[in-house]
Amino acid sequence: MIRTLVASLLSIGALVTSINVSANEPIQPIKAVKPKNPDMVELGKMLFFDPRLSKSGFISCNSCHNLSMGGTDNIPTSVGHAWQQGPINAPTVLNAGMNLAQFWDGRAKDLKAQAGGPIANPGEMASTHKVAVDVLNSIPQYRAYFEKAFGSEGVNIDRVTTAIAAFEETLVTPGSRFDKWLGGDKKALNKQELDGYKLFKSAGCAGCHNGPAVGGALYQKLGVHHPYKTKSTAEGRKGVTGKDSDLNVFKVPILRNIELTYPYFHDGAVDTLEEAVKIMGKVQLDRDFNKNEIDNIVAFLKTLTGEQPDFKMPIMPPSNNNTPRPQPF
Amino acid sequence: MIRTLVASLLSIGALVTSINVSANEPIQPIKAVKPKNPDMVELGKMLFFDPRLSKSGFISCNSCHNLSMGGTDNIPTSVGHAWQQGPINAPTVLNAGMNLAQFWDGRAKDLKAQAGGPIANPGEMASTHKVAVDVLNSIPQYRAYFEKAFGSEGVNIDRVTTAIAAFEETLVTPGSRFDKWLGGDKKALNKQELDGYKLFKSAGCAGCHNGPAVGGALYQKLGVHHPYKTKSTAEGRKGVTGKDSDLNVFKVPILRNIELTYPYFHDGAVDTLEEAVKIMGKVQLDRDFNKNEIDNIVAFLKTLTGEQPDFKMPIMPPSNNNTPRPQPF
């Protein structure tokens, strides 16, 4: 009797596993997001692409988080106002809503808190929240879009960042080959990719790079076993908490679409996935991956590329005689 | 008998006029373009948005000819590599295929000849044709797109500029209210707009600003009656022909979408349409338009805004280990 019950429970367990491969995997598939407020998302999209949020009128959110290019700029550190060199590699905005916090050091608690930063950062968009709001508020079409999205009149920085964050929340990338495999499509990955995934788990990579975003869920010291050599002066979490123990502790980056979000690491110093995997093996796991192992892990990582943003380029409402003018030079 | 024939001809004439208002007008409606080679247009669109054609990896054609903003950058002169200040206002790419030649001084005979310029201009995208081609050639997906568009393998600068030009040829803006009026929809314009159009014709503006693009069809001296005061050192056609008589002779700019393509004139020194109309009246026509006249002409000009580009944001194929890296700093 008891044996039968145990056997039944075991077979139920087996059944559940075969239906949902991901139940026992450290990575879960990404689900598409259905926007609660499409008007808000449309407004946020327009703001994301509008360079008038910068002092110069030349830099938009999309300049450094280019949605045509994996939600980043593919250069080591970003170009800011007056061609200032940014201090750190621009993280991708794709799936960024899954991060436990924003920026490499987690100093912004969410996408909304993040969105206000670059607008007013003298080294990035170099505007002020007041000027950015004045620009938008001078444009009747923008005022109407805000009213439609928020249900009442008014343009202010809280609403600007709320709308940008609402748009960014939609920037998820389901449908990767890996997610198809997780969903039960055994042919979605080839042997090399599966071997790479097995090694990714057994070697310990998945200890930090897990969850639906394959990262973004915790902070970890860069250089657990050996120091990571860099010219960057970024201190990581120490800059937020002030604790010496948080030196070189960074948010574990998202590995979704990692093939698209080169160059790698917070200093953007590493051009290739092969080199990145080799370095991570050494400094985080004290392991010297051989060429075959590296190639397998890289092959697996490339299966994490999902469906990219799929929407029409927004058309901005024009400035008018009352709109504050940009100051590029 | 003859009288009857004349009466018949007159009534046929009246009929034709009522069907096609534009027959006797100096401005003709814009027709939508049906691409001959959609694969070529898609490739050109991708290239237009790809910042990897610049040395920095940060500047694309769309940076200064922003299709979300009337096909221009809405700043007096453009931001180039390392934040260099451009010498002249970026003309809109919208309807630019209708220009008799490209650039303010007409130094490029067509869109294809223009497209190669900024890529290799040290003050603009600051790359070289060789590097730009090497970047594209390193990317298998791009090689496949070129093969599909051109019917044979090969990436070279001639093909790059051919594809960009093919995309730009599609950037026309039909469907403006003015075009609807030309097509017989009498209610498409209000009295002020019509008064403005009548004055635009009677005062002589339409002498240069005519044809389907409302400009772009000829060169004209800026400052026919009075000198145009500017800090710009641009010489106009003189820089191309070497003739003193071509000093300050520029291509007459397109007035289609002029509400979107501020600031105005080759130096981008004028922020408002009212000021632009006032100055043009004085220096080109020796006429002091009063406020009412200016407002009417501006009201007419705003009816020239047509349907803006309507397509999905392109997704770029990623660079790989063989792709030359950008050099932003």
Side-chain angles (χ1 to χ4, degrees), chain A residues 229-274:
Chain A
K229 290 176 188 161
T230 179
K231 292 175 184 164
S232 170
T233 57
E235 295 189 312
R237 290 290 292 164
K238 186 187 172 187
V240 179
T241 66
K243 294 181 191 168
D244 283 341
S245 60
D246 279 338
L247 183 65
N248 296 330
V249 172
F250 293 95
K251 191 178 62 187
V252 174
I254 289 174
L255 296 189
R256 291 279 180 182
N257 308 296
I258 193 71
E259 183 184 8
L260 310 180
T261 62
Y262 53 89
Y264 303 110
F265 302 141
H266 70 282
D267 58 1
V270 174
D271 275 340
T272 72
L273 272 177
E274 287 78 5

mmCIF file of all heavy atoms in Angstrom, chain A residues 229-274:
data_model
loop_
_atom_site.group_PDB
_atom_site.id
_atom_site.type_symbol
_atom_site.label_atom_id
_atom_site.label_comp_id
_atom_site.label_asym_id
_atom_site.label_seq_id
_atom_site.Cartn_x
_atom_site.Cartn_y
_atom_site.Cartn_z
ATOM 1 N N LYS A 229 41.920 42.199 -12.673
ATOM 2 C CA LYS A 229 42.799 43.313 -13.027
ATOM 3 C C LYS A 229 42.055 44.328 -13.888
ATOM 4 O O LYS A 229 41.520 43.970 -14.944
ATOM 5 C CB LYS A 229 44.023 42.787 -13.775
ATOM 6 C CG LYS A 229 44.962 41.991 -12.877
ATOM 7 C CD LYS A 229 46.124 41.384 -13.660
ATOM 8 C CE LYS A 229 46.919 40.433 -12.776
ATOM 9 N NZ LYS A 229 47.735 39.497 -13.566
ATOM 10 N N THR A 230 42.032 45.574 -13.452
ATOM 11 C CA THR A 230 41.286 46.594 -14.177
ATOM 12 C C THR A 230 41.892 47.964 -13.956
ATOM 13 O O THR A 230 42.547 48.210 -12.925
ATOM 14 C CB THR A 230 39.809 46.622 -13.726
ATOM 15 O OG1 THR A 230 39.119 47.638 -14.443
ATOM 16 C CG2 THR A 230 39.696 46.907 -12.223
ATOM 17 N N LYS A 231 41.665 48.861 -14.910
ATOM 18 C CA LYS A 231 42.061 50.266 -14.748
ATOM 19 C C LYS A 231 40.917 51.084 -14.156
ATOM 20 O O LYS A 231 41.077 52.269 -13.865
ATOM 21 C CB LYS A 231 42.473 50.844 -16.102
ATOM 22 C CG LYS A 231 43.756 50.233 -16.652
ATOM 23 C CD LYS A 231 44.045 50.752 -18.068
ATOM 24 C CE LYS A 231 45.269 50.057 -18.658
ATOM 25 N NZ LYS A 231 45.347 50.234 -20.110
ATOM 26 N N SER A 232 39.764 50.462 -14.033
ATOM 27 C CA SER A 232 38.594 51.174 -13.518
ATOM 28 C C SER A 232 38.767 51.494 -12.040
ATOM 29 O O SER A 232 39.324 50.696 -11.282
ATOM 30 C CB SER A 232 37.344 50.306 -13.711
ATOM 31 O OG SER A 232 36.249 50.866 -13.014
ATOM 32 N N THR A 233 38.279 52.647 -11.652
ATOM 33 C CA THR A 233 38.334 53.019 -10.233
ATOM 34 C C THR A 233 36.998 52.769 -9.529
ATOM 35 O O THR A 233 36.820 53.165 -8.379
ATOM 36 C CB THR A 233 38.699 54.510 -10.087
ATOM 37 O OG1 THR A 233 37.730 55.281 -10.807
ATOM 38 C CG2 THR A 233 40.092 54.792 -10.627
ATOM 39 N N ALA A 234 36.074 52.127 -10.229
ATOM 40 C CA ALA A 234 34.760 51.866 -9.618
ATOM 41 C C ALA A 234 34.923 50.980 -8.387
ATOM 42 O O ALA A 234 35.651 49.990 -8.416
ATOM 43 C CB ALA A 234 33.839 51.195 -10.640
ATOM 44 N N GLU A 235 34.257 51.341 -7.320
ATOM 45 C CA GLU A 235 34.395 50.619 -6.045
ATOM 46 C C GLU A 235 33.274 49.620 -5.807
ATOM 47 O O GLU A 235 33.309 48.884 -4.828
ATOM 48 C CB GLU A 235 34.400 51.627 -4.889
ATOM 49 C CG GLU A 235 35.592 52.557 -4.880
ATOM 50 C CD GLU A 235 35.635 53.377 -3.593
ATOM 51 O OE1 GLU A 235 34.590 53.940 -3.219
ATOM 52 O OE2 GLU A 235 36.693 53.409 -2.964
ATOM 53 N N GLY A 236 32.259 49.648 -6.666
ATOM 54 C CA GLY A 236 31.130 48.737 -6.463
ATOM 55 C C GLY A 236 30.269 49.175 -5.284
ATOM 56 O O GLY A 236 30.125 50.366 -5.023
ATOM 57 N N ARG A 237 29.740 48.196 -4.557
ATOM 58 C CA ARG A 237 28.802 48.475 -3.456
ATOM 59 C C ARG A 237 29.409 49.356 -2.372
ATOM 60 O O ARG A 237 28.684 50.026 -1.636
ATOM 61 C CB ARG A 237 28.339 47.156 -2.821
ATOM 62 C CG ARG A 237 27.429 46.323 -3.680
ATOM 63 C CD ARG A 237 26.059 46.925 -3.843
ATOM 64 N NE ARG A 237 25.274 46.925 -2.603
ATOM 65 C CZ ARG A 237 24.185 47.655 -2.424
ATOM 66 N NH1 ARG A 237 23.744 48.458 -3.404
ATOM 67 N NH2 ARG A 237 23.514 47.590 -1.298
ATOM 68 N N LYS A 238 30.743 49.354 -2.267
ATOM 69 C CA LYS A 238 31.374 50.189 -1.241
ATOM 70 C C LYS A 238 30.967 51.658 -1.408
ATOM 71 O O LYS A 238 30.781 52.379 -0.423
ATOM 72 C CB LYS A 238 32.900 50.062 -1.295
ATOM 73 C CG LYS A 238 33.581 50.800 -0.155
ATOM 74 C CD LYS A 238 35.096 50.842 -0.279
ATOM 75 C CE LYS A 238 35.660 51.782 0.805
ATOM 76 N NZ LYS A 238 37.098 52.006 0.652
ATOM 77 N N GLY A 239 30.834 52.061 -2.668
ATOM 78 C CA GLY A 239 30.427 53.437 -2.938
ATOM 79 C C GLY A 239 29.017 53.744 -2.443
ATOM 80 O O GLY A 239 28.650 54.902 -2.265
ATOM 81 N N VAL A 240 28.229 52.717 -2.215
ATOM 82 C CA VAL A 240 26.854 52.904 -1.731
ATOM 83 C C VAL A 240 26.780 52.712 -0.218
ATOM 84 O O VAL A 240 26.173 53.511 0.497
ATOM 85 C CB VAL A 240 25.890 51.909 -2.430
ATOM 86 C CG1 VAL A 240 24.454 52.068 -1.917
ATOM 87 C CG2 VAL A 240 25.944 52.079 -3.938
ATOM 88 N N THR A 241 27.423 51.656 0.280
ATOM 89 C CA THR A 241 27.283 51.314 1.704
ATOM 90 C C THR A 241 28.393 51.907 2.564
ATOM 91 O O THR A 241 28.236 52.013 3.780
ATOM 92 C CB THR A 241 27.337 49.780 1.897
ATOM 93 O OG1 THR A 241 28.652 49.310 1.541
ATOM 94 C CG2 THR A 241 26.308 49.078 1.035
ATOM 95 N N GLY A 242 29.511 52.279 1.917
ATOM 96 C CA GLY A 242 30.643 52.795 2.670
ATOM 97 C C GLY A 242 31.480 51.708 3.349
ATOM 98 O O GLY A 242 32.509 51.997 3.958
ATOM 99 N N LYS A 243 31.057 50.474 3.236
ATOM 100 C CA LYS A 243 31.766 49.379 3.915
ATOM 101 C C LYS A 243 32.950 48.891 3.084
ATOM 102 O O LYS A 243 32.813 48.607 1.895
ATOM 103 C CB LYS A 243 30.830 48.180 4.127
ATOM 104 C CG LYS A 243 29.685 48.425 5.082
ATOM 105 C CD LYS A 243 28.860 47.140 5.195
ATOM 106 C CE LYS A 243 27.559 47.365 5.908
ATOM 107 N NZ LYS A 243 26.641 46.221 5.780
ATOM 108 N N ASP A 244 34.093 48.735 3.721
ATOM 109 C CA ASP A 244 35.265 48.200 3.029
ATOM 110 C C ASP A 244 34.994 46.807 2.465
ATOM 111 O O ASP A 244 35.516 46.430 1.409
ATOM 112 C CB ASP A 244 36.465 48.133 3.984
ATOM 113 C CG ASP A 244 37.081 49.521 4.190
ATOM 114 O OD1 ASP A 244 36.823 50.405 3.345
ATOM 115 O OD2 ASP A 244 37.789 49.701 5.192
ATOM 116 N N SER A 245 34.173 46.052 3.170
ATOM 117 C CA SER A 245 33.878 44.689 2.714
ATOM 118 C C SER A 245 33.088 44.685 1.403
ATOM 119 O O SER A 245 32.980 43.652 0.748
ATOM 120 C CB SER A 245 33.099 43.922 3.785
ATOM 121 O OG SER A 245 31.871 44.588 4.063
ATOM 122 N N ASP A 246 32.552 45.842 1.029
ATOM 123 C CA ASP A 246 31.794 45.913 -0.225
ATOM 124 C C ASP A 246 32.637 46.398 -1.406
ATOM 125 O O ASP A 246 32.115 46.638 -2.496
ATOM 126 C CB ASP A 246 30.573 46.827 -0.057
ATOM 127 C CG ASP A 246 29.413 46.094 0.626
ATOM 128 O OD1 ASP A 246 29.393 44.851 0.577
ATOM 129 O OD2 ASP A 246 28.530 46.771 1.182
ATOM 130 N N LEU A 247 33.950 46.534 -1.171
ATOM 131 C CA LEU A 247 34.831 46.937 -2.278
ATOM 132 C C LEU A 247 34.819 45.849 -3.353
ATOM 133 O O LEU A 247 34.974 44.658 -3.042
ATOM 134 C CB LEU A 247 36.259 47.138 -1.748
ATOM 135 C CG LEU A 247 37.285 47.633 -2.788
ATOM 136 C CD1 LEU A 247 36.950 49.035 -3.282
ATOM 137 C CD2 LEU A 247 38.702 47.589 -2.215
ATOM 138 N N ASN A 248 34.629 46.266 -4.586
ATOM 139 C CA ASN A 248 34.593 45.363 -5.745
ATOM 140 C C ASN A 248 33.402 44.401 -5.725
ATOM 141 O O ASN A 248 33.419 43.393 -6.437
ATOM 142 C CB ASN A 248 35.892 44.564 -5.873
ATOM 143 C CG ASN A 248 37.073 45.473 -6.147
ATOM 144 O OD1 ASN A 248 36.911 46.524 -6.773
ATOM 145 N ND2 ASN A 248 38.248 45.099 -5.668
ATOM 146 N N VAL A 249 32.414 44.707 -4.900
ATOM 147 C CA VAL A 249 31.177 43.921 -4.936
ATOM 148 C C VAL A 249 30.220 44.612 -5.906
ATOM 149 O O VAL A 249 29.899 45.794 -5.746
ATOM 150 C CB VAL A 249 30.544 43.811 -3.534
ATOM 151 C CG1 VAL A 249 29.165 43.166 -3.618
ATOM 152 C CG2 VAL A 249 31.459 43.012 -2.608
ATOM 153 N N PHE A 250 29.825 43.879 -6.940
ATOM 154 C CA PHE A 250 28.948 44.429 -7.967
ATOM 155 C C PHE A 250 27.688 43.576 -8.103
ATOM 156 O O PHE A 250 27.669 42.407 -7.691
ATOM 157 C CB PHE A 250 29.666 44.443 -9.326
ATOM 158 C CG PHE A 250 30.826 45.392 -9.385
ATOM 159 C CD1 PHE A 250 32.117 44.944 -9.134
ATOM 160 C CD2 PHE A 250 30.632 46.724 -9.683
ATOM 161 C CE1 PHE A 250 33.197 45.810 -9.184
ATOM 162 C CE2 PHE A 250 31.702 47.601 -9.739
ATOM 163 C CZ PHE A 250 32.991 47.144 -9.483
ATOM 164 N N LYS A 251 26.698 44.174 -8.688
ATOM 165 C CA LYS A 251 25.526 43.395 -9.056
ATOM 166 C C LYS A 251 25.953 42.376 -10.105
ATOM 167 O O LYS A 251 26.698 42.727 -11.037
ATOM 168 C CB LYS A 251 24.454 44.328 -9.631
ATOM 169 C CG LYS A 251 23.103 43.705 -9.801
ATOM 170 C CD LYS A 251 22.112 44.722 -10.331
ATOM 171 C CE LYS A 251 22.550 45.225 -11.706
ATOM 172 N NZ LYS A 251 21.727 46.333 -12.192
ATOM 173 N N VAL A 252 25.527 41.149 -9.946
ATOM 174 C CA VAL A 252 25.828 40.118 -10.943
ATOM 175 C C VAL A 252 25.075 40.472 -12.230
ATOM 176 O O VAL A 252 23.856 40.588 -12.221
ATOM 177 C CB VAL A 252 25.372 38.731 -10.435
ATOM 178 C CG1 VAL A 252 25.557 37.678 -11.518
ATOM 179 C CG2 VAL A 252 26.132 38.352 -9.174
ATOM 180 N N PRO A 253 25.793 40.678 -13.328
ATOM 181 C CA PRO A 253 25.079 41.134 -14.526
ATOM 182 C C PRO A 253 24.203 40.047 -15.153
ATOM 183 O O PRO A 253 24.460 38.851 -15.007
ATOM 184 C CB PRO A 253 26.203 41.551 -15.471
ATOM 185 C CG PRO A 253 27.415 40.843 -14.993
ATOM 186 C CD PRO A 253 27.252 40.619 -13.527
ATOM 187 N N ILE A 254 23.185 40.508 -15.824
ATOM 188 C CA ILE A 254 22.269 39.652 -16.574
ATOM 189 C C ILE A 254 23.012 39.012 -17.748
ATOM 190 O O ILE A 254 23.748 39.695 -18.457
ATOM 191 C CB ILE A 254 21.086 40.520 -17.074
ATOM 192 C CG1 ILE A 254 20.191 40.906 -15.901
ATOM 193 C CG2 ILE A 254 20.332 39.845 -18.201
ATOM 194 C CD1 ILE A 254 19.077 41.874 -16.282
ATOM 195 N N LEU A 255 22.829 37.714 -17.932
ATOM 196 C CA LEU A 255 23.462 37.056 -19.092
ATOM 197 C C LEU A 255 22.504 36.866 -20.273
ATOM 198 O O LEU A 255 22.923 36.385 -21.330
ATOM 199 C CB LEU A 255 24.059 35.703 -18.687
ATOM 200 C CG LEU A 255 25.209 35.765 -17.681
ATOM 201 C CD1 LEU A 255 25.849 34.389 -17.525
ATOM 202 C CD2 LEU A 255 26.268 36.785 -18.089
ATOM 203 N N ARG A 256 21.243 37.211 -20.089
ATOM 204 C CA ARG A 256 20.336 37.202 -21.246
ATOM 205 C C ARG A 256 20.918 38.116 -22.330
ATOM 206 O O ARG A 256 21.368 39.232 -22.025
ATOM 207 C CB ARG A 256 18.953 37.723 -20.834
ATOM 208 C CG ARG A 256 18.211 36.779 -19.900
ATOM 209 C CD ARG A 256 17.563 35.666 -20.677
ATOM 210 N NE ARG A 256 16.828 34.734 -19.817
ATOM 211 C CZ ARG A 256 16.210 33.663 -20.264
ATOM 212 N NH1 ARG A 256 16.257 33.351 -21.557
ATOM 213 N NH2 ARG A 256 15.569 32.871 -19.451
ATOM 214 N N ASN A 257 20.900 37.671 -23.581
ATOM 215 C CA ASN A 257 21.367 38.458 -24.734
ATOM 216 C C ASN A 257 22.851 38.841 -24.622
ATOM 217 O O ASN A 257 23.276 39.851 -25.180
ATOM 218 C CB ASN A 257 20.529 39.738 -24.898
ATOM 219 C CG ASN A 257 19.051 39.435 -24.927
ATOM 220 O OD1 ASN A 257 18.562 38.765 -25.834
ATOM 221 N ND2 ASN A 257 18.323 39.897 -23.917
ATOM 222 N N ILE A 258 23.604 38.038 -23.898
ATOM 223 C CA ILE A 258 25.001 38.397 -23.638
ATOM 224 C C ILE A 258 25.810 38.472 -24.936
ATOM 225 O O ILE A 258 26.783 39.232 -25.033
ATOM 226 C CB ILE A 258 25.621 37.403 -22.621
ATOM 227 C CG1 ILE A 258 26.956 37.912 -22.078
ATOM 228 C CG2 ILE A 258 25.753 36.002 -23.208
ATOM 229 C CD1 ILE A 258 26.835 39.091 -21.146
ATOM 230 N N GLU A 259 25.377 37.740 -25.945
ATOM 231 C CA GLU A 259 26.063 37.823 -27.252
ATOM 232 C C GLU A 259 25.973 39.240 -27.833
ATOM 233 O O GLU A 259 26.814 39.652 -28.630
ATOM 234 C CB GLU A 259 25.409 36.830 -28.237
ATOM 235 C CG GLU A 259 26.098 36.794 -29.584
ATOM 236 C CD GLU A 259 25.388 35.891 -30.591
ATOM 237 O OE1 GLU A 259 24.274 35.415 -30.291
ATOM 238 O OE2 GLU A 259 25.958 35.675 -31.676
ATOM 239 N N LEU A 260 24.922 39.973 -27.433
ATOM 240 C CA LEU A 260 24.689 41.307 -27.996
ATOM 241 C C LEU A 260 25.275 42.430 -27.149
ATOM 242 O O LEU A 260 25.381 43.560 -27.619
ATOM 243 C CB LEU A 260 23.182 41.567 -28.142
ATOM 244 C CG LEU A 260 22.344 40.495 -28.833
ATOM 245 C CD1 LEU A 260 20.875 40.936 -28.879
ATOM 246 C CD2 LEU A 260 22.854 40.226 -30.244
ATOM 247 N N THR A 261 25.621 42.136 -25.887
ATOM 248 C CA THR A 261 25.910 43.227 -24.954
ATOM 249 C C THR A 261 27.405 43.393 -24.648
ATOM 250 O O THR A 261 27.776 43.853 -23.573
ATOM 251 C CB THR A 261 25.110 43.039 -23.641
ATOM 252 O OG1 THR A 261 25.520 41.808 -23.027
ATOM 253 C CG2 THR A 261 23.618 42.997 -23.899
ATOM 254 N N TYR A 262 28.232 42.981 -25.604
ATOM 255 C CA TYR A 262 29.677 43.225 -25.523
ATOM 256 C C TYR A 262 29.950 44.720 -25.503
ATOM 257 O O TYR A 262 29.107 45.462 -25.998
ATOM 258 C CB TYR A 262 30.374 42.584 -26.747
ATOM 259 C CG TYR A 262 29.761 43.041 -28.060
ATOM 260 C CD1 TYR A 262 30.226 44.195 -28.711
ATOM 261 C CD2 TYR A 262 28.670 42.359 -28.623
ATOM 262 C CE1 TYR A 262 29.633 44.645 -29.883
ATOM 263 C CE2 TYR A 262 28.072 42.800 -29.791
ATOM 264 C CZ TYR A 262 28.555 43.945 -30.412
ATOM 265 O OH TYR A 262 27.962 44.397 -31.561
ATOM 266 N N PRO A 263 31.107 45.187 -25.066
ATOM 267 C CA PRO A 263 32.146 44.441 -24.364
ATOM 268 C C PRO A 263 31.726 44.163 -22.919
ATOM 269 O O PRO A 263 30.738 44.711 -22.446
ATOM 270 C CB PRO A 263 33.354 45.379 -24.443
ATOM 271 C CG PRO A 263 32.768 46.748 -24.512
ATOM 272 C CD PRO A 263 31.467 46.589 -25.266
ATOM 273 N N TYR A 264 32.510 43.336 -22.226
ATOM 274 C CA TYR A 264 32.047 42.740 -20.974
ATOM 275 C C TYR A 264 32.718 43.306 -19.716
ATOM 276 O O TYR A 264 33.782 43.899 -19.781
ATOM 277 C CB TYR A 264 32.237 41.220 -21.052
ATOM 278 C CG TYR A 264 31.488 40.650 -22.248
ATOM 279 C CD1 TYR A 264 32.166 40.147 -23.354
ATOM 280 C CD2 TYR A 264 30.090 40.708 -22.296
ATOM 281 C CE1 TYR A 264 31.458 39.677 -24.466
ATOM 282 C CE2 TYR A 264 29.385 40.242 -23.400
ATOM 283 C CZ TYR A 264 30.082 39.726 -24.476
ATOM 284 O OH TYR A 264 29.390 39.280 -25.570
ATOM 285 N N PHE A 265 32.044 43.051 -18.633
ATOM 286 C CA PHE A 265 32.424 43.466 -17.264
ATOM 287 C C PHE A 265 32.157 44.963 -17.047
ATOM 288 O O PHE A 265 31.875 45.695 -17.987
ATOM 289 C CB PHE A 265 33.876 43.093 -16.920
ATOM 290 C CG PHE A 265 34.142 41.615 -17.034
ATOM 291 C CD1 PHE A 265 35.328 41.133 -17.551
ATOM 292 C CD2 PHE A 265 33.167 40.688 -16.644
ATOM 293 C CE1 PHE A 265 35.570 39.762 -17.661
ATOM 294 C CE2 PHE A 265 33.408 39.315 -16.753
ATOM 295 C CZ PHE A 265 34.606 38.858 -17.265
ATOM 296 N N HIS A 266 32.238 45.364 -15.777
ATOM 297 C CA HIS A 266 31.872 46.745 -15.445
ATOM 298 C C HIS A 266 32.798 47.755 -16.107
ATOM 299 O O HIS A 266 32.422 48.906 -16.300
ATOM 300 C CB HIS A 266 31.866 46.950 -13.919
ATOM 301 C CG HIS A 266 33.221 46.923 -13.300
ATOM 302 N ND1 HIS A 266 33.902 45.742 -13.056
ATOM 303 C CD2 HIS A 266 34.051 47.914 -12.886
ATOM 304 C CE1 HIS A 266 35.073 46.023 -12.518
ATOM 305 N NE2 HIS A 266 35.189 47.321 -12.408
ATOM 306 N N ASP A 267 34.007 47.320 -16.461
ATOM 307 C CA ASP A 267 34.933 48.237 -17.127
ATOM 308 C C ASP A 267 34.882 48.106 -18.650
ATOM 309 O O ASP A 267 35.566 48.846 -19.354
ATOM 310 C CB ASP A 267 36.369 48.027 -16.623
ATOM 311 C CG ASP A 267 36.860 46.595 -16.823
ATOM 312 O OD1 ASP A 267 36.097 45.761 -17.363
ATOM 313 O OD2 ASP A 267 38.006 46.299 -16.423
ATOM 314 N N GLY A 268 34.060 47.195 -19.131
ATOM 315 C CA GLY A 268 33.937 47.025 -20.582
ATOM 316 C C GLY A 268 35.260 46.695 -21.243
ATOM 317 O O GLY A 268 35.458 46.967 -22.428
ATOM 318 N N ALA A 269 36.170 46.097 -20.502
ATOM 319 C CA ALA A 269 37.532 45.909 -21.013
ATOM 320 C C ALA A 269 37.697 44.639 -21.841
ATOM 321 O O ALA A 269 38.729 44.455 -22.484
ATOM 322 C CB ALA A 269 38.521 45.902 -19.851
ATOM 323 N N VAL A 270 36.705 43.767 -21.818
ATOM 324 C CA VAL A 270 36.852 42.467 -22.463
ATOM 325 C C VAL A 270 35.909 42.364 -23.662
ATOM 326 O O VAL A 270 34.692 42.482 -23.528
ATOM 327 C CB VAL A 270 36.576 41.342 -21.440
ATOM 328 C CG1 VAL A 270 36.574 39.986 -22.120
ATOM 329 C CG2 VAL A 270 37.621 41.393 -20.334
ATOM 330 N N ASP A 271 36.511 42.131 -24.837
ATOM 331 C CA ASP A 271 35.741 42.181 -26.073
ATOM 332 C C ASP A 271 34.976 40.906 -26.387
ATOM 333 O O ASP A 271 33.938 40.948 -27.033
ATOM 334 C CB ASP A 271 36.678 42.474 -27.246
ATOM 335 C CG ASP A 271 36.927 43.957 -27.423
ATOM 336 O OD1 ASP A 271 36.119 44.753 -26.923
ATOM 337 O OD2 ASP A 271 37.940 44.300 -28.059
ATOM 338 N N THR A 272 35.533 39.765 -25.997
ATOM 339 C CA THR A 272 34.940 38.511 -26.471
ATOM 340 C C THR A 272 34.378 37.687 -25.321
ATOM 341 O O THR A 272 34.868 37.736 -24.187
ATOM 342 C CB THR A 272 35.988 37.648 -27.224
ATOM 343 O OG1 THR A 272 36.915 37.119 -26.275
ATOM 344 C CG2 THR A 272 36.717 38.463 -28.288
ATOM 345 N N LEU A 273 33.368 36.893 -25.650
ATOM 346 C CA LEU A 273 32.781 36.001 -24.654
ATOM 347 C C LEU A 273 33.787 34.954 -24.198
ATOM 348 O O LEU A 273 33.796 34.571 -23.022
ATOM 349 C CB LEU A 273 31.546 35.307 -25.245
ATOM 350 C CG LEU A 273 30.226 36.041 -25.089
ATOM 351 C CD1 LEU A 273 29.109 35.276 -25.783
ATOM 352 C CD2 LEU A 273 29.896 36.257 -23.608
ATOM 353 N N GLU A 274 34.635 34.506 -25.098
ATOM 354 C CA GLU A 274 35.631 33.499 -24.741
ATOM 355 C C GLU A 274 36.542 34.022 -23.627
ATOM 356 O O GLU A 274 36.796 33.333 -22.637
ATOM 357 C CB GLU A 274 36.471 33.099 -25.971
ATOM 358 C CG GLU A 274 35.747 32.245 -26.996
ATOM 359 C CD GLU A 274 34.799 33.025 -27.903
ATOM 360 O OE1 GLU A 274 34.753 34.269 -27.810
ATOM 361 O OE2 GLU A 274 34.095 32.385 -28.715
#
